[in-house]
Amino acid sequence: MVVSKEIEEVIKYHERAGKYFDINGINTFALDKGSGEVVFCVHGVPTSSFLYRKVIDSLAEKGRRVVSVDLSGLGLTYRPEDFNYEFNNFADFLTAA
């Protein structure tokens, strides 16, 4: 798959805006910005935290802490072959986050 330089730069910028952490052995990416009452943005399938990048900035400017975690196998989060990709397991994954 060929990815244009422009798209690569957008992805790198998005990645620099977030952080990685471990959830049950899975290298997980999340955006976490602002302070105050927490707003937790959960993306659908097949999207990622990238969907919320502008919303996160706007809410953070309004005094909220905004968090969006890439679900396992989506966005910049690692995709283990042995992960159970059913929705109830995604809920457990987010609870662990």
Side-chain angles (χ1 to χ4, degrees):
M1 181 168 125
V2 177
V3 178
S4 76
K5 290 281 187 193
E6 183 178 333
I7 292 171
E8 284 181 14
E9 286 304 314
V10 169
I11 292 169
K12 286 179 186 178
Y13 179 82
H14 175 67
E15 187 173 22
R16 286 190 302 268
K19 63 183 177 182
Y20 286 93
F21 63 104
D22 182 87
I23 298 177
N24 300 325
I26 298 171
N27 192 30
T28 303
F29 179 81
L31 296 175
D32 184 350
K33 189 169 186 178
S35 61
E37 186 176 349
V38 176
V39 177
F40 194 62
C41 298
V42 179
H43 66 81
V45 175
T47 61
S48 71
S49 61
F50 186 79
L51 176 71
Y52 292 109
R53 68 197 181 284
K54 294 178 182 176
V55 171
I56 287 171
D57 288 342
S58 177
L59 289 170
E61 289 172 7
K62 292 176 173 64
R64 301 289 188 265
R65 177 180 177 200
V66 191
V67 177
S68 184
V69 177
D70 283 352
L71 296 170
S72 180
L74 298 164
L76 297 173
T77 295
Y78 180 69
R79 182 183 178 93
E81 290 184 25
D82 62 346
F83 186 83
N84 176 355
Y85 290 94
E86 295 178 7
F87 284 104
N88 60 342
N89 202 46
F90 281 140
D92 293 341
F93 181 81
L94 290 175
T95 299

